Amino acid sequence: VERLLDGGTDVNAANPDDRGNTPLHIAAYSGNAELTELLLERGADPNAMAADGQPLSYAVFVGNRAIAEQLVAAGAIDLRPPGGDWEDIEYWAAGADSVIQEEDVLGLESWLSNLYHLWFLWFLLWLVAGFAVVAFLVDRFGKTMDTHTAWPTYLMWGLIPLTLIPQLLMGDGGEVPVFGPDTSTGLIPVWHVLAYYAVFFGFGALLYDAADRTGAPLVESIGHRWVLWFPLATIVFPLAIGLTFEWESATWLQASIAQVAFAWLAIFGLMGLFRTILAKERRGVRYLSDSSYWLYLTHLPLVIIAQSWVRNWDLPAWMKFGGITFGVTALLLVAYQLFVRYSPIGTMLNGKRTRPKRAATDPHHKPVKA
């Protein structure tokens, strides 16, 4: 806000798309006392009128005494009855539940009810639980299906067009066009989003033991035409974007078909690419793979702390971004090596690892692999 005002933005500019609210109206409504003070210091009119009243009316509506008194001290017309207090105003705090007040600076209520970056693991737990149920049923009743041993492979390929069903439900059935799946961060997953990821999870589960016509593992060859899949994916990608957001004549069905096609082409292309360039064991890649869950689980609070630390440094944004990214990664890799890799946590994440032993005096002695 300071930068905008220094750049010449009108502190009393009214937003015609927001019922004529000025920045001071928004600051009062959101309970931001620091911003209210800044705007008043820069000349904001405490009696500016919007469709729903003056800034003081907003502070009264959400029940913020501190901001109400700020505005009165700056010259706002006092709305309290003679000799009365703020609570004596009829609509005092009537909209207190409509906005998160400044007291909840950390957003703790939000953090307790949302999973944020951990939604991936939460979905994975639901999918693994579902897989366990399906596996039990197959073990229990699977003998009746042995008359045709190829049914898992047919089912696996049948999941690809099945992706279209949950995709069609994204974006409120196309009412709000979105590219990719909807967001679901609550404790109870949005069912069509969970179903969407379950299709890919099921494909991977069936692929795990599948074989091609020669009897070789299908996972070895499923992406071998990645040189073809990737160019196709790059063609379908802008098509999917365009059908979703740009072309008025397109239907949500057409946009969804393009999105599903892009997703599967990209998957097969990436599988083939990585099985080509990472076919041989590499210690560095293996180490990063082992540490990835640890970094994923723990990076967010460190990134937030680092952002709050460097936000006011007089450095280019790219430099601060790079410093946070590489600094947090390096710190967590050191922590992984010292405290996690050979601990019960590391065993839970990646299996047991043995610390490499120092070479003995025997020149033929070989250290134990980590």
Side-chain angles (χ1 to χ4, degrees):
V1 174
E2 286 179 340
R3 290 177 182 176
L4 288 170
L5 294 174
D6 290 343
T9 299
D10 182 4
V11 71
N12 289 308
N15 185 352
D17 296 328
D18 190 25
R19 302 180 63 79
N21 288 317
T22 68
L24 189 59
H25 284 88
I26 303 303
Y29 180 75
S30 61
N32 193 323
E34 183 180 5
L35 181 57
T36 300
E37 181 180 2
L38 170 64
L39 293 170
L40 290 170
E41 289 175 353
R42 295 298 190 96
D45 181 4
N47 291 304
M49 183 62 70
D52 296 315
Q54 300 160 311
L56 181 56
S57 299
Y58 287 40
V60 170
F61 180 69
V62 298
N64 194 306
R65 176 185 291 269
I67 291 181
E69 293 178 353
Q70 270 184 297
L71 291 168
V72 169
I77 299 173
D78 198 336
L79 300 177
R80 289 172 290 187
D85 205 346
W86 295 111
E87 289 79 2
D88 297 325
I89 300 175
E90 183 178 356
Y91 60 94
W92 171 259
D97 293 335
S98 65
V99 64
I100 298 175
Q101 292 295 307
E102 192 177 17
E103 287 76 9
D104 189 22
V105 174
L106 297 178
L108 294 180
E109 182 180 348
S110 176
W111 277 91
L112 291 174
S113 60
N114 289 277
L115 294 163
Y116 292 94
H117 78 301
L118 296 178
W119 71 268
F120 168 76
L121 283 181
W122 185 236
F123 267 54
L124 195 58
L125 290 175
W126 279 81
L127 294 172
V128 169
F131 175 77
V133 173
V134 172
F136 170 79
L137 294 175
V138 171
D139 286 343
R140 183 76 178 270
F141 306 106
K143 293 180 180 179
T144 61
M145 305 177 188
D146 287 344
T147 55
H148 196 257
T149 56
W151 72 266
T153 304
Y154 292 138
L155 176 59
M156 181 185 77
W157 293 115
L159 288 175
I160 294 180
L162 191 64
T163 315
L164 186 61
I165 297 176
Q167 171 61 46
L168 284 169
L169 297 173
M170 302 298 175
D172 197 17
E175 291 294 324
V176 184
V178 293
F179 182 80
D182 290 338
T183 299
S184 174
T185 57
L187 294 177
I188 304 299
V190 178
W191 77 266
H192 69 271
V193 180
L194 182 63
Y196 178 82
Y197 289 113
V199 172
F200 298 99
F201 183 92
F203 186 93
L206 292 167
L207 176 64
Y208 181 78
D209 243 354
D212 61 19
R213 294 177 181 177
T214 67
L218 184 58
V219 71
E220 298 286 350
S221 60
I222 196 171
H224 72 285
R225 294 179 181 172
W226 64 270
V227 177
L228 172 63
W229 305 141
F230 262 140
L232 285 175
T234 57
I235 293 172
V236 174
F237 176 70
L239 178 67
I241 291 286
L243 287 172
T244 302
F245 298 115
E246 301 295 337
W247 300 351
E248 295 181 3
S249 59
T251 65
W252 184 238
L253 174 61
Q254 292 171 313
S256 296
I257 291 172
Q259 290 196 39
V260 167
F262 166 72
W264 285 105
L265 287 170
I267 286 171
F268 293 140
L270 286 169
M271 289 177 68
L273 173 64
F274 278 89
R275 293 198 76 83
T276 299
I277 65 176
L278 296 176
K280 296 181 179 179
E281 181 75 12
R282 299 181 186 179
R283 291 183 62 185
V285 174
R286 169 58 58 190
Y287 189 89
L288 289 176
S289 176
D290 288 349
S291 66
S292 61
Y293 259 131
W294 164 252
L295 268 66
Y296 167 68
L297 289 169
T298 56
H299 77 278
L300 189 61
L302 295 182
V303 169
I304 293 174
I305 292 171
Q307 286 176 336
S308 64
W309 184 32
V310 308
R311 60 181 296 190
N312 292 320
W313 290 9
D314 189 18
L315 292 173
W318 66 266
M319 190 176 294
K320 291 191 280 188
F321 173 78
I324 290 174
T325 301
F326 292 104
V328 170
T329 301
L331 179 63
L332 288 177
L333 284 174
V334 171
Y336 173 75
Q337 175 65 28
L338 295 178
F339 308 114
V340 177
R341 184 169 176 81
Y342 305 107
S343 73
I345 297 176
T347 300
M348 179 182 68
L349 293 176
N350 305 113
K352 189 171 180 59
R353 294 288 183 267
T354 305
R355 290 183 182 275
K357 297 179 180 179
R358 294 182 179 179
T361 53
D362 181 357
H364 299 291
H365 174 80
K366 294 182 179 179
V368 177
K369 271 191 174 183

